[in-house]
Short mmCIF file of all heavy atoms in Angstrom, two decimals:
data_model
loop_
_atom_site.label_atom_id
_atom_site.label_comp_id
_atom_site.label_asym_id
_atom_site.label_seq_id
_atom_site.Cartn_x
_atom_site.Cartn_y
_atom_site.Cartn_z
N ILE A 178 -2.62 -7.04 -4.87
CA ILE A 178 -2.36 -8.43 -4.54
C ILE A 178 -1.09 -8.50 -3.69
O ILE A 178 -0.36 -7.52 -3.52
CB ILE A 178 -2.25 -9.32 -5.79
CG1 ILE A 178 -1.09 -8.86 -6.68
CG2 ILE A 178 -3.56 -9.31 -6.55
CD1 ILE A 178 -0.83 -9.79 -7.85
N ASP A 179 -0.81 -9.68 -3.21
CA ASP A 179 0.15 -9.90 -2.13
C ASP A 179 1.47 -9.16 -2.27
O ASP A 179 1.83 -8.34 -1.43
CB ASP A 179 0.41 -11.40 -2.00
CG ASP A 179 1.38 -11.73 -0.89
OD1 ASP A 179 0.99 -11.58 0.27
OD2 ASP A 179 2.52 -12.11 -1.20
N THR A 180 2.23 -9.42 -3.34
CA THR A 180 3.58 -8.88 -3.40
C THR A 180 3.62 -7.38 -3.67
O THR A 180 4.64 -6.74 -3.41
CB THR A 180 4.39 -9.59 -4.50
OG1 THR A 180 3.65 -9.58 -5.73
CG2 THR A 180 4.69 -11.01 -4.12
N MET A 181 2.54 -6.81 -4.18
CA MET A 181 2.52 -5.37 -4.42
C MET A 181 2.68 -4.59 -3.12
O MET A 181 3.30 -3.52 -3.10
CB MET A 181 1.18 -4.96 -5.08
CG MET A 181 0.95 -5.51 -6.47
SD MET A 181 -0.70 -5.01 -7.04
CE MET A 181 -0.71 -5.68 -8.70
N ILE A 182 2.13 -5.12 -2.05
CA ILE A 182 2.09 -4.37 -0.79
C ILE A 182 3.48 -4.18 -0.19
O ILE A 182 3.88 -3.04 0.10
CB ILE A 182 1.11 -5.06 0.18
CG1 ILE A 182 -0.30 -5.04 -0.42
CG2 ILE A 182 1.12 -4.38 1.55
CD1 ILE A 182 -1.25 -6.04 0.18
N PRO A 183 4.28 -5.23 0.01
CA PRO A 183 5.64 -5.00 0.53
C PRO A 183 6.50 -4.17 -0.42
O PRO A 183 7.36 -3.41 0.03
CB PRO A 183 6.21 -6.41 0.72
CG PRO A 183 5.33 -7.31 -0.06
CD PRO A 183 3.98 -6.68 -0.08
N TRP A 184 6.27 -4.31 -1.75
CA TRP A 184 7.04 -3.49 -2.69
C TRP A 184 6.74 -2.01 -2.48
O TRP A 184 7.66 -1.18 -2.49
CB TRP A 184 6.70 -3.89 -4.13
CG TRP A 184 7.26 -5.22 -4.54
CD1 TRP A 184 8.27 -5.92 -3.95
CD2 TRP A 184 6.82 -6.03 -5.64
NE1 TRP A 184 8.49 -7.10 -4.61
CE2 TRP A 184 7.62 -7.20 -5.65
CE3 TRP A 184 5.83 -5.89 -6.61
CZ2 TRP A 184 7.45 -8.21 -6.60
CZ3 TRP A 184 5.67 -6.89 -7.55
CH2 TRP A 184 6.47 -8.04 -7.54
N LEU A 185 5.48 -1.66 -2.29
CA LEU A 185 5.13 -0.26 -2.07
C LEU A 185 5.64 0.23 -0.72
O LEU A 185 6.08 1.38 -0.59
CB LEU A 185 3.61 -0.07 -2.16
CG LEU A 185 2.99 -0.28 -3.55
CD1 LEU A 185 1.47 -0.24 -3.47
CD2 LEU A 185 3.48 0.78 -4.53
N LEU A 186 5.61 -0.63 0.29
CA LEU A 186 6.07 -0.22 1.62
C LEU A 186 7.58 -0.06 1.69
O LEU A 186 8.10 0.66 2.55
CB LEU A 186 5.61 -1.24 2.67
CG LEU A 186 4.13 -1.20 3.05
CD1 LEU A 186 3.78 -2.39 3.94
CD2 LEU A 186 3.80 0.12 3.77
N LYS A 187 8.30 -0.74 0.79
CA LYS A 187 9.77 -0.63 0.79
C LYS A 187 10.27 0.73 0.33
O LYS A 187 11.41 1.11 0.63
CB LYS A 187 10.37 -1.72 -0.10
CG LYS A 187 10.44 -3.09 0.55
CD LYS A 187 11.10 -4.09 -0.38
CE LYS A 187 11.21 -5.46 0.26
NZ LYS A 187 11.86 -6.45 -0.66
N ALA A 188 9.46 1.47 -0.41
CA ALA A 188 9.89 2.78 -0.89
C ALA A 188 10.12 3.71 0.29
O ALA A 188 9.39 3.67 1.28
CB ALA A 188 8.84 3.37 -1.82
N PRO A 189 11.14 4.56 0.24
CA PRO A 189 11.40 5.48 1.36
C PRO A 189 10.20 6.39 1.62
O PRO A 189 9.59 6.91 0.66
CB PRO A 189 12.60 6.31 0.86
CG PRO A 189 13.24 5.45 -0.19
CD PRO A 189 12.13 4.70 -0.84
N PRO A 190 9.81 6.58 2.87
CA PRO A 190 8.67 7.46 3.18
C PRO A 190 8.93 8.89 2.73
O PRO A 190 10.08 9.35 2.73
CB PRO A 190 8.57 7.38 4.71
CG PRO A 190 9.29 6.11 5.08
CD PRO A 190 10.38 5.94 4.06
N THR A 191 7.86 9.58 2.32
CA THR A 191 7.95 10.98 1.94
C THR A 191 6.79 11.74 2.58
O THR A 191 5.77 11.13 2.93
CB THR A 191 7.88 11.17 0.41
OG1 THR A 191 6.52 10.98 -0.03
CG2 THR A 191 8.80 10.20 -0.32
N PRO A 192 6.89 13.07 2.70
CA PRO A 192 5.77 13.85 3.26
C PRO A 192 4.51 13.77 2.41
O PRO A 192 3.42 14.10 2.88
CB PRO A 192 6.34 15.28 3.28
CG PRO A 192 7.82 15.11 3.27
CD PRO A 192 8.09 13.88 2.46
N GLU A 193 4.66 13.35 1.13
CA GLU A 193 3.51 13.29 0.22
C GLU A 193 2.79 11.96 0.25
O GLU A 193 1.82 11.77 -0.50
CB GLU A 193 3.99 13.57 -1.22
CG GLU A 193 4.48 14.98 -1.45
CD GLU A 193 3.36 15.99 -1.22
OE1 GLU A 193 2.31 15.87 -1.87
OE2 GLU A 193 3.56 16.88 -0.37
N ASP A 194 3.23 11.02 1.07
CA ASP A 194 2.64 9.68 1.04
C ASP A 194 1.13 9.70 1.24
O ASP A 194 0.41 8.91 0.62
CB ASP A 194 3.28 8.79 2.11
CG ASP A 194 4.63 8.25 1.67
OD1 ASP A 194 4.96 8.37 0.48
OD2 ASP A 194 5.36 7.71 2.52
N ARG A 195 0.63 10.56 2.11
CA ARG A 195 -0.81 10.61 2.37
C ARG A 195 -1.55 11.55 1.42
O ARG A 195 -2.78 11.62 1.46
CB ARG A 195 -1.09 11.05 3.80
CG ARG A 195 -1.03 9.94 4.81
CD ARG A 195 -1.93 10.28 5.99
NE ARG A 195 -1.75 9.35 7.10
CZ ARG A 195 -2.46 9.39 8.21
NH1 ARG A 195 -3.39 10.31 8.36
NH2 ARG A 195 -2.26 8.51 9.16
N ASN A 196 -0.82 12.24 0.61
CA ASN A 196 -1.45 13.22 -0.29
C ASN A 196 -1.94 12.52 -1.56
O ASN A 196 -1.45 12.74 -2.65
CB ASN A 196 -0.46 14.33 -0.64
CG ASN A 196 -1.12 15.49 -1.34
OD1 ASN A 196 -2.31 15.76 -1.14
ND2 ASN A 196 -0.36 16.18 -2.17
N THR A 197 -2.92 11.66 -1.39
CA THR A 197 -3.43 10.84 -2.49
C THR A 197 -4.93 10.64 -2.32
O THR A 197 -5.43 10.56 -1.18
CB THR A 197 -2.72 9.47 -2.53
OG1 THR A 197 -3.47 8.57 -3.34
CG2 THR A 197 -2.60 8.87 -1.15
N PRO A 198 -5.68 10.55 -3.42
CA PRO A 198 -7.13 10.34 -3.32
C PRO A 198 -7.53 8.90 -3.05
O PRO A 198 -8.71 8.61 -2.82
CB PRO A 198 -7.64 10.79 -4.69
CG PRO A 198 -6.50 10.53 -5.62
CD PRO A 198 -5.26 10.80 -4.82
N LEU A 199 -6.57 7.96 -3.06
CA LEU A 199 -6.90 6.55 -2.90
C LEU A 199 -7.39 6.30 -1.47
O LEU A 199 -6.63 6.47 -0.51
CB LEU A 199 -5.68 5.68 -3.20
CG LEU A 199 -5.92 4.17 -3.24
CD1 LEU A 199 -6.88 3.79 -4.37
CD2 LEU A 199 -4.60 3.42 -3.40
N ASN A 200 -8.65 5.89 -1.32
CA ASN A 200 -9.18 5.66 0.02
C ASN A 200 -9.80 4.29 0.23
O ASN A 200 -10.09 3.90 1.35
CB ASN A 200 -10.20 6.76 0.38
CG ASN A 200 -11.40 6.77 -0.56
OD1 ASN A 200 -12.30 5.94 -0.47
ND2 ASN A 200 -11.43 7.74 -1.47
N LYS A 201 -10.00 3.52 -0.84
CA LYS A 201 -10.58 2.16 -0.74
C LYS A 201 -9.68 1.19 -1.49
O LYS A 201 -9.49 1.31 -2.69
CB LYS A 201 -11.97 2.13 -1.37
CG LYS A 201 -13.02 2.95 -0.64
CD LYS A 201 -14.33 2.97 -1.40
CE LYS A 201 -14.29 3.92 -2.58
NZ LYS A 201 -14.23 5.32 -2.21
N VAL A 202 -9.12 0.21 -0.78
CA VAL A 202 -8.23 -0.77 -1.40
C VAL A 202 -8.66 -2.17 -0.98
O VAL A 202 -8.91 -2.42 0.20
CB VAL A 202 -6.76 -0.52 -1.00
CG1 VAL A 202 -5.87 -1.64 -1.54
CG2 VAL A 202 -6.27 0.82 -1.53
N HIS A 203 -8.75 -3.05 -1.96
CA HIS A 203 -9.06 -4.45 -1.66
C HIS A 203 -7.74 -5.22 -1.56
O HIS A 203 -6.89 -5.13 -2.45
CB HIS A 203 -9.93 -5.07 -2.75
CG HIS A 203 -10.41 -6.45 -2.40
ND1 HIS A 203 -11.40 -6.67 -1.48
CD2 HIS A 203 -10.02 -7.68 -2.85
CE1 HIS A 203 -11.62 -7.97 -1.37
NE2 HIS A 203 -10.79 -8.61 -2.20
N MET A 204 -7.58 -5.98 -0.49
CA MET A 204 -6.39 -6.80 -0.27
C MET A 204 -6.84 -8.22 0.05
O MET A 204 -7.60 -8.41 1.01
CB MET A 204 -5.54 -6.26 0.87
CG MET A 204 -5.00 -4.86 0.65
SD MET A 204 -3.97 -4.32 2.07
CE MET A 204 -3.56 -2.65 1.56
N GLN A 205 -6.40 -9.15 -0.73
CA GLN A 205 -6.82 -10.54 -0.52
C GLN A 205 -5.65 -11.47 -0.79
O GLN A 205 -5.19 -11.53 -1.93
CB GLN A 205 -7.99 -10.86 -1.45
CG GLN A 205 -8.67 -12.18 -1.18
CD GLN A 205 -9.92 -12.36 -2.05
OE1 GLN A 205 -10.80 -11.51 -2.08
NE2 GLN A 205 -9.97 -13.46 -2.76
N PRO A 206 -5.16 -12.17 0.23
CA PRO A 206 -5.60 -12.17 1.62
C PRO A 206 -5.17 -10.91 2.36
O PRO A 206 -4.26 -10.20 1.91
CB PRO A 206 -4.91 -13.40 2.19
CG PRO A 206 -3.65 -13.51 1.39
CD PRO A 206 -4.03 -13.09 0.00
N LEU A 207 -5.80 -10.66 3.49
CA LEU A 207 -5.46 -9.48 4.29
C LEU A 207 -4.06 -9.66 4.88
O LEU A 207 -3.82 -10.61 5.62
CB LEU A 207 -6.48 -9.29 5.41
CG LEU A 207 -6.33 -8.01 6.23
CD1 LEU A 207 -6.69 -6.80 5.39
CD2 LEU A 207 -7.21 -8.07 7.47
N PRO A 208 -3.11 -8.76 4.60
CA PRO A 208 -1.75 -8.92 5.11
C PRO A 208 -1.62 -8.39 6.54
O PRO A 208 -2.44 -7.58 7.00
CB PRO A 208 -0.92 -8.07 4.15
CG PRO A 208 -1.86 -6.96 3.74
CD PRO A 208 -3.24 -7.60 3.70
N ASP A 209 -0.59 -8.85 7.21
CA ASP A 209 -0.32 -8.34 8.56
C ASP A 209 -0.04 -6.84 8.53
O ASP A 209 -0.24 -6.15 9.54
CB ASP A 209 0.88 -9.07 9.17
CG ASP A 209 0.59 -10.54 9.42
OD1 ASP A 209 -0.58 -10.90 9.60
OD2 ASP A 209 1.55 -11.34 9.43
N SER A 210 0.41 -6.34 7.39
CA SER A 210 0.83 -4.94 7.29
C SER A 210 -0.30 -4.00 6.87
O SER A 210 -0.04 -2.86 6.49
CB SER A 210 1.97 -4.82 6.26
OG SER A 210 1.56 -5.33 5.00
#
């Protein structure tokens, strides 16, 4: 949901960010980010 997305994006990037099995996410409403 809405506020989860900026909270997750605020975390400092790491080389492991893409090393995750999560491939389908529902976002409602669709954020600009």
Side-chain angles (χ1 to χ4, degrees):
I178 62 173
D179 181 71
T180 51
M181 295 177 177
I182 298 161
W184 288 341
L185 292 173
L186 285 172
K187 280 183 179 180
T191 75
E193 293 298 304
D194 281 348
R195 276 207 190 184
N196 191 28
T197 164
L199 187 63
N200 61 77
K201 294 175 283 291
V202 174
H203 187 74
M204 298 181 183
Q205 189 174 307
L207 187 70
D209 294 334
S210 57

